[in-house]
Amino acid sequence: MSMVSLPGLAEMIDNISQERNLPKPAVQAALREALLKGYERYRRTQRLAKAGGNDADGAQFDDDYFENFEVELDVEEEGFRVLATKAIVEKVSISDREISLNEVLEVAAEAQLGDTVVLDVTPERDDFGRMAAIQTKQVLAQKLRDQQRKLIQEEFLDLEGEILQARVLRFERHSVIVAVSSGFGHQEVDAELPKREQLPNDNYRANATFKVLLKRVCDGPHRGPQLQVSRADAGLVVYLFENEVPEIEDEIVRIVAVAREANPPGRYVGPRTKIAVDTLERDVDPVGACIGARGSRIQVVVNELRGEKIDVIRWSPDPATYIANALSPARVDEVRLVDAEARQAHVLVPDNQLSLAIGKEGQNVRLAARLTGWKIDIKDTAKYLADLEQQQLAPRETTEEATPSPDPEASEAHEETLETPETAPVAPEPDPATETIPSPSSAEEALDSEPEPEPDGAMPLETELGAEAALSQGEGAIASESPEKFKTSDG
C-alpha cells in the first residue's frame, strides 16, 4: 500500500496534546477527519480539472459522498493512507462505492456478489496539492476545538450548580473571562462571567480570585467560553451558609427559601438577600445559628459577597406569621389573608413603619413577596381601619335612603294639629262686639240638661247664666294653656 509521508507526525501529535490539553487519541481522531477533508478537496480539484474548470458546481460532492472513505494514520511510519470500502456488484454505477465482481476475482477467487472490499486510494504526495494541505490545516484546527468542547462538556456537565474557585484572566466587552477548574490537579478552563451575573460591589482585577457558581455548560457550536458562571445566583448564598454553619451541614437547621436581588433596578439601592430557615429541634435557634456569636458566621458570608445586606428570618407554616417575619426589620401590626387561593394578603403596619416595610424603592416588600410566594399589599393601620369602617357604614346609609320618608309639609301640618289651639274641638272665641246671648228656649234646654245643684250650693238662674257667659269669654285662654284640662271640664 502507498502512503503519504508526514515527517514529524508523532512529535506534532504530542505537542498538540500538551498545548490543547487533549488526549492523544482525540488529537489523532481530529487529524484523521482533517486529512479526509483534504482528500475530498483533492478529489474536487480533480473533477474540476476534468470539466475544464467551467463547471464549478458540478465539481461539488454530496455531504455523504465520502462516508465509505477513511484515513489510516501510521504514527511509527509517520504517514497516512486513504482507504475506500466498496461493494462487489455485477455492473458498476458509482465507481467510488462499487467494484465489479470480475475485477475482484482477479485478486481474490473466493469473492462473491454483495461482499465488500477495502481498497487503497491514497494519492501521491505531489498530487495532494497545496489547496488540499491548507484545507487539512483549517479543518484540523476546527476539529481540535470541537474535541476540546466535547471534553469540557463531559467534565463539567455534572458540576452545574456547583461552586468553583475562579481567577480573573481578562475582560471582553462587559464580560469577565475567568479560569475555573473542576478539581485539584485538573487543567483550568476559560469561563464567562456576564455583566448581569456580576455583583456591583465586586472589584474585578487581573488574577483576583473569588467563588462563582457554575450556571450553564453550553453544548454544540458556541463562540467564546463554553462555561457560564455567576456571582448573582441565590445558590451562591446557600453554599456560603452551608459552608459556614455546621448545623445546616448536619441537617439540624434547614434553609427553606431564598430570595436575592443582586442587581437592583434602581441605582440608589444595593444588593440584598432574604433567607428563611427552620429547625425541628426545640433547643436550637435557627436564626441565631446562622448569625453566629456576635455575627461571626454571617459576617464571613457578607464579606464574600462584598458587603451585601442579608436578612435571616424564621420560617413558619402559618402564612400570616411567615409574611410578618419576611418583612423584617419592619414591625407589623396585623396580616390579613384576603384571598388564600390567589395568595394575596394585606399587611397593616403603623405609620412610622410604613417606609421601612416597603423598603427603598420597594425592595423590602418585593423580596418578601418572592420569599413567601404571596402578593403583599402594605397598608397604614389607622387609614385602613378607617376606610374599612366607612365601607361597613355605606350599606346602612344606602338602606336608609331606599326607605320612603314622610312628606315634611305633611309632618309639620300633623304637629300643628296636635299642638295648635285652633284645632282643638272647642267652641270658637266669641267677638265682644257681637256677643251672642242665648235664647230663652236654648237656655232652658241647657238648664234642663245640667244636673240639679245641691241644696246648699243653689245659685240663681241669672247668676248661673252670667257665669256661663264669663266662662265662654275666657274659654280661649284656658284652651291655649291646657287643652286637655278644658276638654275635661267641658265634658
Side-chain angles (χ1 to χ4, degrees), residues 200-201 260-273 307-309 360-361 363 366-367:
N201 298 332
R260 190 183 186 195
E261 195 172 72
N263 293 295
R267 57 182 300 184
Y268 299 107
V269 184
R272 188 172 182 177
T273 298
E308 182 173 331
K309 188 175 181 180
K360 188 179 294 185
E361 298 187 7
Q363 186 185 52
R366 189 165 55 245
L367 286 174

Side-chain angles (χ1 to χ4, degrees), residues 79-145:
F80 73 94
R81 303 182 184 89
V82 181
L83 306 177
T85 302
K86 298 182 180 182
I88 302 175
V89 295
E90 284 285 350
K91 185 177 182 181
V92 177
S93 57
I94 303 176
S95 58
D96 285 328
R97 297 185 178 183
E98 300 172 346
I99 188 173
S100 64
L101 179 60
N102 296 331
E103 188 175 353
V104 176
L105 289 175
E106 295 178 359
V107 180
E110 67 278 4
Q112 298 180 0
L113 291 174
D115 293 344
T116 57
V117 294
V118 178
L119 301 178
D120 184 3
V121 293
T122 306
E124 296 294 333
R125 181 183 178 86
D126 296 338
D127 295 340
F128 201 69
R130 183 177 62 87
M131 295 303 296
I134 294 175
Q135 179 79 9
T136 302
K137 184 177 180 180
Q138 293 175 350
V139 173
L140 176 61
Q142 178 64 37
K143 295 300 179 182
L144 290 175
R145 285 194 295 268

Side-chain angles (χ1 to χ4, degrees), residues 395-405:
R396 299 180 182 177
E397 296 177 356
T398 305
T399 305
E400 293 177 359
E401 293 176 358
T403 305
S405 60

Side-chain angles (χ1 to χ4, degrees), residues 143-157:
K143 295 300 179 182
L144 290 175
R145 285 194 295 268
D146 294 343
Q147 289 290 342
Q148 280 183 305
R149 294 183 183 279
K150 184 178 179 181
L151 291 178
I152 291 174
Q153 183 178 359
E154 293 175 354
E155 182 180 358
F156 288 91
L157 190 60

